[in-house]
């Protein structure tokens, strides 16, 4: 019997999730259908689509922009939240367990798993994160759980970084006990083990105001695809770099594990997705 999954978002046509999950299903020998579900952005429409999906026998749903917070609110009222979802204030994975709707967030652990798969040392590492939006928020607890020594959160709008840290500390004892600082992006300086770009500056051509005194051993951009100015900047300073494609695969693999119990081989899936026969379609 075909197992049904979906990703709900707006826009959604660009989503690579159906192909990624199909690659996992091929490994697992599972018959799946994973749909892209466009939804109007109001809460009533979101709830109607989610309820229709699960009432119709759907097994699991991914949630993307702009619905991650709505999914969080919905699970808070009608189900349960994982620790990572509670800390992130956002849900990217929905499923039923023992007839209870579970909202999880696999984005941050997906990033951690990707870094560990590249042998990037997280235990005792000093990390800088640039950006204080939803993506930054979602990675903070998984990084602390992975054993990092400190996190410096830098943002264009300093008060947003400060508010984010205050909110996380208030709601999570692990984060409260951790060494987390904040500063403006242009004031971020010193040598870090890893610097993560969690801004949405992306491929706009705009450049972050990075100080000359800012260096790192490793630089990670949550964006993926074409050449990323943030990564070139640190490559020129001798750092090892990575884009966020592995994070995308990592969060998907964790969702697939929660839904099916199958631990997909992310590297094998990456190879399958980069097969020239599929590649054009995948990157379009
Ligand atoms: P948000 O909109 O929540 O946050 C955007 C952040 O970027 C803010 O901190 C904002 O600063 C900063 N920013 C935006 N434009 C600029 C600019 N021109 N200069 C400096 N700072 C800027 O976005 P998300 O947190 O949801 O996403 C951030 C990125 O992470 C996106 O590129 C997204 O695609 C990527 N991502 C990747 C994932 C993956 O699996 N690889 C998963 C999730 C996200 P300010 O507060 O000052 O406005």
């Amino acid at each position: 019997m075909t197992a049904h999954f979906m990703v709900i978002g707006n826009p959604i046509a660009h989503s690579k999730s159906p192909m990624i999950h199909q690659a996992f299903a091929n490994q697992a020998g599972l018959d799946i259908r994973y749909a892209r579900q466009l939804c109007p952005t109001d809460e009533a429409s979101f709830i109607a689509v989610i309820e229709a999906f699960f009432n119709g026998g759907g097994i699991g749903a991914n949630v993307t922009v702009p619905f991650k917070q709505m999914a969080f609110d919905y699970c808070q009222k009608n189900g349960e939240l994982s620790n990572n979802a509670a800390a992130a204030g956002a849900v990217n994975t929905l499923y039923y367990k023992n007839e209870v709707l579970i909202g999880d967030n696999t984005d941050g652990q997906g990033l951690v798993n990707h870094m560990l798969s590249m042998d990037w040392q997280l235990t005792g590492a000093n990390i800088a994160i640039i950006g204080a939006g939803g993506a930054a928020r979602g990675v903070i607890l998984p990084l602390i759980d992975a054993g990092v020594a400190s996190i410096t959160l830098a943002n264009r709008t300093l008060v947003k970084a400060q508010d984010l840290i205050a909110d996380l500390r208030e709601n999570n004892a692990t984060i409260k006990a951790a060494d987390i600082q904040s500063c403006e992006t242009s004031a971020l300086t010193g040598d870090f083990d890893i610097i993560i770009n969690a801004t949405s500056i992306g491929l706009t051509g705009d450049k972050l105001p990075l100080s000359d005194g800012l260096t790192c051993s490793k630089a990670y951009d949550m964006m993926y695809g074409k050449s990323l100015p943030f990564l070139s900047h640190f490559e020129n300073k001798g750092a090892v770099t990575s884009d966020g494609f592995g994070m995308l695969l990592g969060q998907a693999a964790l969702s697939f594990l929660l839904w099916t119990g199958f631990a997909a081989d992310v590297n094998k899936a990456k190879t399958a997705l980069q097969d020239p026969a599929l590649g054009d379609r995948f990157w379009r």
Side-chain angles (χ1 to χ4, degrees):
M1 202 172 77
T2 306
H4 288 260
F5 303 91
M6 71 167 176
V7 57
I8 179 169
N10 189 339
I12 200 63
H14 66 288
S15 173
K16 301 182 194 325
S17 293
M19 287 186 217
I20 293 172
H21 284 275
Q22 187 58 56
F24 297 158
N26 292 347
Q27 287 180 24
L30 288 175
D31 175 15
I32 71 158
R33 179 173 144 66
Y34 186 111
R36 291 185 186 93
Q37 181 64 57
L38 182 68
C39 179
T41 55
D42 62 284
E43 191 167 12
S45 298
F46 171 75
I47 291 171
V49 170
I50 290 295
E51 290 184 348
F53 174 75
F54 285 111
N55 288 339
I59 303 291
N62 281 131
V63 181
T64 189
V65 177
F67 297 117
K68 289 184 183 186
Q69 273 166 303
M70 269 183 213
F72 174 90
D73 293 340
Y74 186 71
C75 291
Q76 210 169 27
K77 286 184 203 129
N78 302 289
E80 284 177 14
L81 292 162
S82 70
N83 280 346
N84 280 338
V91 160
N92 81 334
T93 303
L94 291 169
Y95 62 105
Y96 271 83
K97 188 177 174 183
N98 302 328
E99 299 187 15
V100 176
L101 178 68
I102 309 288
D104 207 329
N105 192 316
T106 62
D107 284 334
Q109 193 59 44
L111 169 88
V112 164
N113 288 355
H114 184 218
M115 288 183 171
L116 294 176
S117 76
M118 296 185 292
D119 288 329
W120 288 22
Q121 174 79 24
L122 292 176
T123 311
N126 294 308
I127 309 275
I129 300 173
I130 305 178
R137 182 181 179 116
V139 301
I140 288 175
L141 181 60
L143 284 171
I144 293 168
D145 284 341
V148 303
S150 72
I151 295 176
T152 305
L153 189 65
N155 198 38
R156 172 175 65 179
T157 314
L158 177 59
V159 70
K160 284 197 195 167
Q162 292 168 331
D163 288 351
L164 175 56
I165 294 170
D167 190 51
L168 287 170
R169 283 202 170 122
E170 198 177 305
N171 291 300
N172 188 288
T174 305
I175 297 176
K176 194 173 181 182
D179 179 359
I180 311 181
Q181 314 292 331
S182 62
C183 67
E184 255 179 56
T185 303
S186 56
L188 182 66
T189 188
D191 188 37
F192 291 88
D193 296 305
I194 301 173
I195 303 180
I196 300 166
N197 182 15
T199 71
S200 53
I201 196 164
L203 305 169
T204 56
D206 288 351
K207 284 197 176 163
L208 291 168
L210 303 174
S211 107
D212 288 343
L214 181 64
T215 56
C216 60
S217 306
K218 305 203 163 61
Y220 193 98
D221 199 324
M222 286 194 188
M223 286 286 297
Y224 48 84
K226 298 172 190 162
S227 63
L228 295 160
F230 173 82
L231 296 184
S232 316
H233 175 87
F234 287 106
E235 258 158 28
N236 291 338
K237 291 184 156 204
V240 171
T241 64
S242 173
D243 72 10
F245 182 52
M247 175 180 178
L248 180 75
L249 290 175
Q251 60 78 26
L254 289 165
S255 295
F256 198 79
L257 178 66
L258 289 167
W259 297 333
T260 67
F262 179 80
D265 181 330
V266 171
N267 285 329
K268 214 166 125 186
K270 190 173 179 181
T271 306
L273 291 165
Q274 286 170 338
D275 183 327
L278 182 64
D280 276 358
R281 245 182 349 121
F282 185 72
W283 290 110
R284 200 162 48 203

